[in-house]
Amino acid sequence: MSEALIIMAHGSRSETANDEFRLLVERVAEAGEDYVAVLPCFLELARPSLMEALQQIEHQPVARVRVYPLFFNSGKHVARDIPAQVQEARQRHPHLDIRLLDYFGTAEGLAGLVGRHIEAQRDS
Amino acid sequence: MSEALIIMAHGSRSETANDEFRLLVERVAEAGEDYVAVLPCFLELARPSLMEALQQIEHQPVARVRVYPLFFNSGKHVARDIPAQVQEARQRHPHLDIRLLDYFGTAEGLAGLVGRHIEAQRDS
């Protein structure tokens, strides 16, 4: 099935920060599954938005889009703002099957990664 | 050595989100190293602040404190606000060796964890 993956970050006024996120998305893409496209987008403060990311793939053979929020916690953005943007995207692109995935903070292994990262910096 | 670990999140107006972070910190503590204390704190919008977390341990036998920013990217918070708070903490607690660790976004294995989390949600 022709599937695209869009990973969404909050977005920052710092392009250094936004570029770090774009690089992370590239790494996820390389590790990767057979998506037609793996794209970054931002909730606010930076571009592309989710709508703009969807425009980037509108001439590609994509039937299904998965949207992954790279957020730690289910605050207002995860609970309300992102579902609202996804709902708007579905209305604009009714031919696409757009699915909102669980946000990053629910990942199995997050505490382990944090612990290892802290440990790796011990006495360094 | 008597060492404390303070993990700092951005902080949210949603206490649900803040509680998720506190739970993550508990999990890191359980996985854990032999710290005298492992504490959460927030950059803004929630409590305790870094200063308040340091007050919580001021009567404990702590010589060294490590502060770990749970942030994805090196935007203004990581580049300026957190180092400024740590610097202020050093001035208020000159007897403590307070070390600011690299932020979460620099963790080896982050892209892999994101990829696995997305994959685990495939067709579920």
Side-chain angles (χ1 to χ4, degrees):
Chain A
M1 187 177 49
S2 51
E3 191 165 54
L5 171 64
I6 298 178
I7 302 180
M8 181 187 285
H10 183 280
S12 171
R13 288 186 182 83
S14 157
E15 275 305 306
T16 304
N18 296 329
D19 283 344
E20 277 180 286
F21 168 64
R22 294 182 182 105
L23 187 60
L24 176 68
V25 174
E26 283 178 27
R27 287 194 184 131
V28 173
E30 287 162 8
E33 292 310 309
D34 46 355
Y35 297 103
V36 174
V38 179
L39 298 171
C41 81
F42 299 94
L43 178 66
E44 59 189 28
L45 300 179
R47 297 177 68 176
S49 66
L50 175 59
M51 296 306 163
E52 290 167 337
L54 286 168
Q55 285 165 11
Q56 290 172 32
I57 55 173
E58 70 185 347
H59 297 298
Q60 290 183 273
V62 171
R64 188 173 178 182
V65 176
R66 304 205 287 172
V67 179
Y68 180 75
L70 192 78
F71 285 71
F72 286 114
N73 301 121
S74 64
K76 182 170 65 76
H77 294 321
V78 164
R80 296 215 308 260
D81 301 337
I82 298 173
Q85 289 198 1
V86 167
Q87 191 53 34
E88 187 185 347
R90 287 183 183 126
Q91 287 164 359
R92 288 201 203 180
H93 301 274
H95 60 292
L96 286 177
D97 174 11
I98 304 178
R99 181 170 164 217
L100 177 57
L101 302 182
D102 289 341
Y103 61 101
F104 175 76
T106 65
E108 279 280 325
L110 173 55
L113 181 63
V114 168
R116 288 192 301 280
H117 190 212
I118 291 168
E119 193 54 24
Q121 299 182 64
R122 180 174 280 260
D123 298 321
S124 63
Chain B
M1 185 176 51
S2 52
E3 191 165 53
L5 171 64
I6 298 177
I7 303 181
M8 181 188 285
H10 183 279
S12 171
R13 289 186 181 83
S14 157
E15 274 306 306
T16 304
N18 295 329
D19 283 344
E20 278 181 283
F21 169 65
R22 293 181 182 106
L23 186 61
L24 176 69
V25 173
E26 283 177 28
R27 287 195 183 128
V28 173
E30 287 162 9
E33 293 308 310
D34 47 353
Y35 296 103
V36 175
V38 179
L39 298 171
C41 81
F42 298 94
L43 179 66
E44 59 189 28
L45 300 178
R47 298 178 66 174
S49 65
L50 174 59
M51 295 307 163
E52 289 166 338
L54 287 167
Q55 285 166 10
Q56 290 173 31
I57 55 174
E58 70 184 348
H59 297 297
Q60 290 182 273
V62 171
R64 188 173 177 181
V65 177
R66 304 204 287 173
V67 179
Y68 180 74
L70 192 78
F71 285 72
F72 287 113
N73 300 120
S74 62
K76 181 170 66 78
H77 295 320
V78 164
R80 297 215 306 260
D81 301 338
I82 298 174
Q85 288 198 1
V86 167
Q87 191 53 33
E88 187 184 345
R90 287 184 183 125
Q91 287 164 359
R92 287 202 204 178
H93 301 273
H95 59 292
L96 286 178
D97 173 9
I98 304 177
R99 181 170 162 217
L100 177 57
L101 301 183
D102 289 341
Y103 62 101
F104 174 76
T106 64
E108 279 280 326
L110 173 55
L113 180 63
V114 168
R116 288 193 300 280
H117 189 213
I118 291 168
E119 193 53 24
Q121 299 182 65
R122 180 174 280 259
D123 298 321
S124 63

